Amino acid sequence: MSTAPTTPGAGRYAPSPSGDLHLGNLRTAILAWVLARRTGRAFHLRVEDLDRVKEGSEQRQLEDLAAVGLDWDGEVVRQSGRGPAHQQAITKLEAQDRVFECYCTRREILEAPSAPHAPPGAYPGTCRDLSAAKREQGRARMRELRREPALRLRSDVTSWQVQDLWAGEVTGAVDDLVLQRGDGVVAYNLAVVVDDAAAGVDQVVRADDLLSSAPRQAHLAQLLGLPEPGYAHVPLAVNAHGTRLAKRDGAVTLRDRRDRGETAEEVVERIGRSLGVVGARSARDLLDRWDPATLPRHPWTVDLPD
């Protein structure tokens, strides 16, 4: 595994091909592109297709991103093709004695007593220091359930600090996070760290529901000898009830808006107004006119006509 170069650096957008991108997704993508281009970084696109792949979704997402004015450098990377690099990272952690098997079900973790001040659902360390006999019992149980043990990080810290462009200095919890699930699929937290480093990404722009994951991902990068990126977490898009925007909220995708007679330029103009920029018709307009210091710190309430 090679350490990514520190210059010129890169930004990225990494959608999951589980359906069409809604306006909140497009807003985040545009901001990631603008911040990368404004700072002279490359901009990469990575399809995170380890879960929930909907046929045709990837192509539709790429077309929608291009329609609002985004371009990207190099080929589109698919996370499903990065398996050898992910396994190499796990092997490196195993050599440091930082990996252990976990035989718990999700329900058992949720119901287990947690350490004081631990967030809800935090892993309580059940399988971290089992005896050889207990581990064999756990493996036997997994065979009965026709599952493999999950692989977890043996963390030696409880928190880590990252720097975010808008949130500032953020300290978050670090636990014995999953590296590989019981179905053999590598976990998101590992894959994103390895893939960002391989692409030279040093600027991670994404929605702020992932801000709490940044400290554990940065710590994992440090353990793997990879550079920790800078972060810029964007407030979520929400519906009129303050709930995270989703496709069930109506005509919230670019294609939905086009079906109702709007153009891609009008959709970008709507996104621009949410950022305090009036009259933007493409991502290029926002690159020229939007000041990152003016980003609203509150969620964007998307109120659309039918």
Side-chain angles (χ1 to χ4, degrees):
M1 184 182 304
S2 60
T3 299
T6 56
T7 55
R12 52 76 159 173
Y13 184 61
S16 299
S18 57
D20 291 346
L21 300 172
H22 60 59
L23 267 63
N25 302 139
L26 291 173
R27 183 182 191 243
T28 300
I30 289 172
L31 293 181
W33 181 86
V34 166
L35 285 174
R37 295 303 190 208
R38 177 164 291 185
T39 54
R41 288 175 165 87
F43 184 73
H44 300 307
L45 196 64
R46 182 176 69 243
V47 176
E48 299 197 331
D49 58 347
L50 295 179
D51 279 310
R52 297 183 303 165
V53 175
K54 184 176 180 180
E55 186 176 356
S57 178
E58 176 187 326
Q59 184 58 39
R60 289 163 67 90
Q61 289 182 348
L62 298 183
E63 291 170 358
D64 288 354
L65 291 171
V68 298
L70 302 193
D71 60 355
W72 46 89
D73 300 295
E75 298 295 323
V76 175
V77 173
R78 290 168 187 83
Q79 204 165 51
S80 59
R82 299 272 306 144
H86 301 154
Q87 290 303 316
Q88 186 179 355
I90 292 174
T91 299
K92 184 170 184 176
L93 293 169
E94 287 175 332
Q96 301 174 24
D97 193 28
R98 291 192 177 276
V99 179
F100 66 92
E101 293 181 346
C102 178
Y103 317 106
C104 300
T105 65
R106 183 174 299 180
R107 181 175 179 178
E108 288 168 341
I109 293 170
L110 289 174
E111 293 179 349
S114 297
H117 311 301
Y123 181 66
T126 308
C127 301
R128 179 182 173 112
D129 297 310
L130 295 179
S131 66
K134 289 290 186 181
R135 288 198 299 271
E136 188 50 48
Q137 290 177 13
R139 291 168 187 153
R141 183 186 180 217
M142 292 293 99
R143 288 193 292 269
E144 291 176 1
L145 295 174
R146 297 184 179 180
R147 293 177 44 192
E148 293 294 324
L151 300 181
R152 287 185 176 271
L153 175 71
R154 187 187 301 278
S155 177
D156 60 356
V157 301
T158 57
S159 65
W160 199 257
Q161 194 173 84
V162 297
Q163 191 70 30
D164 186 89
L165 179 62
W166 291 297
E169 198 172 86
V170 176
T171 300
V174 176
D175 59 359
D176 294 336
L177 57 96
V178 174
L179 302 171
Q180 183 173 294
R181 302 182 332 208
D183 60 3
V185 177
V186 68
Y188 167 78
N189 281 314
L190 177 76
V192 71
V193 168
V194 173
D195 294 345
D196 279 345
V201 170
D202 64 348
Q203 182 187 71
V204 173
V205 182
R206 58 193 182 187
D208 64 5
D209 59 330
L210 289 170
L211 179 57
S212 62
S213 295
R216 60 171 61 94
Q217 291 170 7
H219 176 55
L220 189 54
Q222 189 265 342
L223 292 176
L224 290 167
L226 302 173
E228 299 178 29
Y231 294 95
H233 286 85
V234 181
L236 283 172
V238 299
N239 61 23
H241 304 289
T243 304
R244 178 176 178 166
L245 191 68
K247 298 174 185 67
R248 62 178 175 272
D249 292 317
V252 296
T253 71
L254 175 60
R255 290 166 191 267
D256 291 335
R257 302 318 305 167
R258 281 175 155 174
D259 288 344
R260 283 155 177 76
E262 293 184 21
T263 65
E265 291 78 12
E266 288 171 326
V267 170
V268 173
E269 186 174 7
R270 187 187 302 278
I271 291 171
R273 287 198 302 271
S274 78
L275 300 168
V277 178
V278 177
R281 305 287 284 180
S282 71
R284 177 65 59 176
D285 290 340
L286 288 168
L287 174 62
D288 294 337
R289 298 171 54 193
W290 176 64
D291 180 359
T294 66
L295 178 77
R297 302 299 198 268
H298 52 78
W300 173 33
T301 301
V302 180
D303 188 10
L304 296 169
D306 293 334

